[in-house]
Amino acid sequence: MTGPADRADGTPQRDAALAETVRRTGASIGALYLLAPDQQMLCIDALCGAPAEFALPWARVRLNSPAPVAHAAREDRLIWLGDQEELARLYPRTALALPYPLAMAAAPVTGVRRWGTLLLMWPATRPPYMTARERGNIASSCHRLARLLEETSEHGGPVVCDGGPRVVPVTDERRSVSPALAAADFAERLPGGSVALDLEGRFTYVSSGAADLLGLGAEQLLGTLPWQSLRWLDDPTYEDRYRAAVLSREPVSFTACRPPGQWLDFHLYPDASGISVRIVDSGAPLPAAPAPRRSGRTVTPARAGRLYQLTHLAAALTEVVSVQDVIDLVADQIMPAFDAQGLVLSSADAGRLRIMGHRGYSRFSVERLDGLPLDTSFTPAGRALASGIPAFFHDAEEMRRIYPDAPQVSGKQAWAFLPLIISGRPVGICVLSYDRPHDFPAEERAVMTSLAGLVAQALDRARLYDTKHALAHGLQQALLPRALPRFSGLRVAARYLPATRGMDIGGDFYDLIRLADGAAAAVIGDVQGHNVAAAALMGQVRTAVHAHAAAGTTPDQVLFRTNRLLTDLGSDLFTSCLYAHVDVARGRLGLAGAGHPPPVLRLPDGTARPVPLRPGPLLGIDPVAEFPVTDLPLVPGATLVFYTDGLVETPGTDLGDSITALARHLADADDGDLDRLVDVLLSRTSTTAQRTDDIALLLLHRER
């Protein structure tokens, strides 16, 4: 039975279902990711089999990111990765944050709606394949989690992950048949030393032999972390071995030197409840240990968890493209990584700090902070950027002593001002702020400072990309027709979609030209490439076709003369083109093609087929090439579809089959509204996913 509180919240049932799934599938670690309300972010709701700290680098994952949990949710299918090699090949960023031998499955949690993803991890000792029974178990677990989430939602309970992941214990059904004292006696009789660590890494048991080898009594070690209570183990390398044992669930060994010169072997044996550690003297000749040197540094080495977090964020920063991508990454991953509640990311522009993005600030605060001069005394931002030295203020009183107005404007209680510098050149400043006082230990300051350098590099690249993109996109938009002319008895519609990879520009073009005899000339073409050169050549081709068509030239001569122009220009880019002379009054159509896919014709009875066409070669190859003309009737009620290959080309699919499929889609659609018909054709040909090619589409319908 569940009480009202359980029904409204639902977390006990979800946690129990997650723990049961981990036990039933034999996984070592499980995590339930839930979609944020905006449906653009996945965040961990519950974690089983590992401490919460381990999940920090991937606690929040954007739905469009290249990660297994996001991929499973996007495509609504199970993602199976049998080993580390497969993980590194398919998801390099995830492999960078999880450099351990393991297997992984990410499965969508979907019911009446999409809720999130279930992530399961196994030691690499399991077979690198998944059986049908295992897939069925995972699928049923996902359905059960979805039902629990739906019940919570139906009873008005919130279905959000807030405040970080809950750590769910895995109940071990095994029971010790020996009293605790007998177990302790057993450990004491073993040679060397024995200790036990929980999954957080803290000592839960220390034998007398281990205390002798480690040099501290059990009362000084119990409840502490090894790298905190034993300074000679305070090295990220040793902590990484512990992380490897927890995540891979495989035995791990390493050797460490206890000063002044005693070398000890540590053997770690993990399971779902913790780690058993055997410590023995290595027995090797003891090398001379150098005298410990005093360091003038005040920064302590970063914990292994922080190092992996930094590595993960660095890998993510290498994949951002635009300035908005940088802002989103800092807000979605860097802010939560440091538990910050506010963000201001500003660029240095013409002697002022221009805010490019922000989170957690009111409109009034942003307006007051935007456009401040670099030498401002209103906040520490200008001074930090000018000096290149980060500034940290752990409470409002510390800030108020030097900058009395800043706390009043923002209402924040702690700040980290991180200058973004590249080769001595200021790029901008990143400000992380907190709603409550916040201490900045030396380790955290070091990580923040390192991360600021990576953000500066990413931001500088992104600004350059945005500038190039704006110029190229403006060039292309200027070269495409702003509006299509109207013709009596003819309805027209057109659409251009850029590629979703690269610079979002290309060489596809279309045009509809009014001719002197009252007819129309329809043109569509594709210049090779997706860059500024392709867009520029597209403009030259479109201008040449327009000029020759307006002069009353026949279709074959329009392409012939345009071809001569391109060969004279000596461009190394080739162009496909399809030109149609449309005589609406007589209902005739004259077509000439240059290496371009044939148009698709839909007849009034609803049948559709590709137009049989004898195309000539691509433009720009042979200066004396000929371009045969195909004549056919254009009856009232007929619809003609011109398109570029981006609409029909799919890797591994025959082009002819794709064009035939396009004809079927056209036959099934309603041509009463051409703009809606364009949407239908685009949606049914998989063009809504990632596009590697741009698309141009031009539709003509002769009215009855």
Side-chain angles (χ1 to χ4, degrees):
M1 298 292 291
T2 58
D6 288 340
R7 287 197 299 270
D9 183 23
T11 54
Q13 292 83 5
R14 292 205 302 273
D15 292 352
L18 176 62
E20 173 62 23
T21 300
V22 171
R23 288 194 300 270
R24 187 170 58 179
T25 59
S28 54
I29 295 173
L32 175 62
Y33 281 82
L34 295 183
L35 273 169
D38 62 2
Q39 299 287 299
Q40 299 300 312
M41 182 75 65
L42 288 162
C43 56
I44 295 183
D45 176 58
L47 178 67
C48 187
E53 180 199 359
F54 282 20
L56 285 178
W58 55 91
R60 293 166 61 86
V61 179
R62 290 196 70 82
L63 189 61
N64 61 358
S65 68
V69 292
H71 195 180
R74 282 198 310 270
E75 298 196 357
D76 195 30
R77 67 182 180 90
L78 185 143
I79 304 297
W80 166 250
L81 301 163
D83 54 32
Q84 177 69 15
E85 181 179 347
E86 188 175 10
L87 177 66
R89 185 175 69 255
L90 298 177
Y91 302 96
R93 190 205 294 183
T94 303
L96 202 60
L98 288 169
Y100 309 112
L102 49 81
M104 177 188 301
V109 178
T110 305
V112 296
R113 52 163 282 193
R114 182 173 60 178
W115 292 101
T117 306
L118 172 67
L119 176 68
L120 297 170
M121 298 165 61
W122 291 265
T125 51
R126 67 150 287 148
Y129 57 86
M130 179 169 284
T131 65
R133 182 186 296 273
E134 288 175 317
R135 289 179 179 270
N137 285 337
I138 293 174
S140 64
S141 296
C142 289
H143 292 323
R144 181 185 177 191
L145 288 167
R147 285 197 303 271
L148 291 172
L149 290 164
E150 286 157 7
E151 290 174 3
T152 299
S153 180
E154 289 170 0
H155 287 87
V159 183
V160 294
C161 40
D162 188 21
R166 299 184 308 280
V167 177
V168 179
V170 182
T171 303
D172 194 343
E173 298 179 353
R174 293 173 298 177
R175 295 290 183 266
S176 175
V177 297
S178 304
L181 185 58
D185 289 342
F186 170 78
E188 289 293 336
R189 287 191 292 267
L190 294 175
S194 301
V195 303
L197 307 175
D198 61 19
L199 290 179
E200 299 289 340
R202 301 183 186 279
F203 286 107
T204 58
Y205 172 77
V206 180
S207 71
S208 58
D212 292 339
L213 289 171
L214 297 176
L216 285 179
E219 68 282 356
Q220 297 171 280
L221 294 173
L222 290 174
T224 68
L225 297 169
W227 40 89
Q228 291 179 350
S229 52
L230 301 168
R231 302 302 297 172
W232 48 278
L233 287 178
D234 187 14
D235 187 302
T237 302
Y238 303 140
E239 185 184 350
D240 175 64
R241 297 294 80 205
Y242 150 74
R243 292 170 64 91
V246 173
L247 292 175
S248 70
R249 291 293 199 266
E250 289 191 325
V252 171
S253 300
F254 65 88
T255 301
C257 179
R258 172 192 163 188
Q262 184 180 11
W263 289 86
L264 301 176
D265 290 338
F266 292 78
H267 302 275
L268 284 63
Y269 302 95
D271 70 0
S273 62
I275 300 178
S276 298
V277 184
R278 287 287 296 138
I279 308 171
V280 295
D281 192 298
S282 67
L286 301 181
R293 294 180 296 175
R294 294 187 176 272
S295 171
R297 298 187 308 162
T298 59
V299 178
T300 59
R303 295 262 52 83
R306 284 292 193 191
L307 292 178
Y308 277 116
Q309 190 175 61
L310 181 60
T311 302
H312 175 72
L313 294 173
L317 284 167
T318 63
E319 297 180 358
V320 296
V321 176
S322 66
V323 170
Q324 190 59 49
D325 291 339
V326 177
I327 296 170
D328 290 342
L329 178 68
V330 175
D332 296 337
Q333 298 195 33
I334 295 179
M335 276 180 62
F338 295 101
D339 298 323
Q341 290 80 48
L343 162 73
V344 173
L345 191 61
S346 303
S347 65
D349 183 17
R352 293 187 175 274
L353 290 170
R354 301 292 182 186
I355 295 179
M356 297 181 294
H358 61 88
R359 297 287 192 279
Y361 281 80
S362 67
R363 179 183 299 179
F364 168 77
S365 300
V366 172
E367 291 175 351
R368 184 67 182 87
L369 296 170
D370 191 22
L372 292 174
L374 291 178
D375 59 354
T376 180
S377 59
F378 187 76
T379 77
R383 180 180 296 180
L385 188 58
S387 65
I389 301 174
F392 300 91
F393 299 85
H394 68 84
D395 59 26
E397 185 58 35
E398 184 180 5
M399 171 74 84
R400 195 176 291 114
R401 286 198 301 268
I402 309 174
Y403 303 94
D405 296 328
Q408 298 177 15
V409 171
S410 67
K412 302 298 182 182
Q413 299 298 308
W415 299 262
F417 291 84
L418 308 172
L420 308 178
I421 309 292
I422 298 178
S423 302
R425 175 172 57 88
V427 174
I429 191 161
C430 178
V431 182
L432 297 177
S433 57
Y434 298 80
D435 293 338
R436 294 176 296 277
H438 180 85
D439 290 328
F440 296 94
E443 174 188 318
E444 187 172 75
R445 295 187 185 201
V447 175
M448 283 185 173
T449 303
S450 300
L451 200 57
L454 300 174
V455 173
Q457 295 282 350
L459 184 61
D460 197 44
R461 291 194 310 270
R463 291 174 65 184
L464 179 61
Y465 170 84
D466 282 352
T467 300
K468 289 182 177 180
H469 177 269
L471 290 173
H473 194 66
L475 169 64
Q476 185 173 51
Q477 292 302 310
L479 294 174
L480 289 172
R482 293 179 179 273
L484 297 177
R486 295 180 179 273
F487 293 87
S488 177
L490 194 66
R491 288 190 289 120
V492 299
R495 188 77 55 84
Y496 173 80
L497 293 179
T500 56
R501 298 181 185 176
M503 294 189 68
D504 293 349
I505 63 170
D508 288 15
F509 65 95
Y510 62 87
D511 207 351
L512 190 64
I513 307 164
R514 191 182 300 277
L515 302 180
D517 57 0
V523 188
I524 196 161
D526 183 359
V527 178
Q528 174 190 7
H530 311 98
N531 49 35
V532 176
L537 184 60
M538 176 266 284
Q540 293 175 304
V541 174
R542 178 173 170 255
T543 300
V545 171
H546 197 292
H548 294 310
T553 311
T554 59
D556 57 332
Q557 285 299 306
V558 169
L559 295 186
F560 178 82
R561 296 178 184 184
T562 304
N563 179 55
R564 288 294 298 269
L565 171 65
L566 293 186
T567 54
D568 290 344
L569 290 174
S571 172
D572 57 356
L573 300 178
F574 303 130
T575 303
S576 71
C577 187
L578 184 62
Y579 181 93
H581 181 278
V582 185
D583 190 336
V584 184
R586 296 176 52 227
R588 301 299 300 178
L589 190 68
L591 289 167
H596 199 86
V600 176
L601 177 65
R602 171 177 164 145
L603 298 174
D605 62 2
T607 60
R609 59 180 174 81
V611 175
L613 186 67
R614 292 188 300 134
L618 293 167
L619 301 178
I621 299 177
D622 181 3
V624 295
E626 296 182 353
F627 304 92
V629 178
T630 301
D631 290 309
L632 67 154
L634 184 65
V635 298
T639 301
L640 198 62
V641 177
F642 299 87
Y643 55 91
T644 54
D645 56 7
L647 183 71
V648 292
E649 273 193 343
T650 303
T653 304
D654 180 76
L655 182 60
D657 293 340
S658 298
I659 296 174
T660 302
L662 174 63
R664 287 198 304 269
H665 296 325
L666 179 61
D668 295 338
D670 181 6
D671 61 357
D673 184 332
L674 290 190
D675 286 321
R676 183 173 297 175
L677 178 57
V678 169
D679 293 334
V680 170
L681 295 179
L682 291 173
S683 65
R684 293 187 180 181
T685 51
S686 303
T687 58
T688 55
Q690 292 287 321
R691 293 186 300 276
T692 58
D693 199 0
D694 47 345
I695 298 171
L697 195 58
L698 177 63
L699 274 62
L700 308 179
H701 176 83
R702 188 185 178 194
E703 296 181 331
R704 298 177 187 270

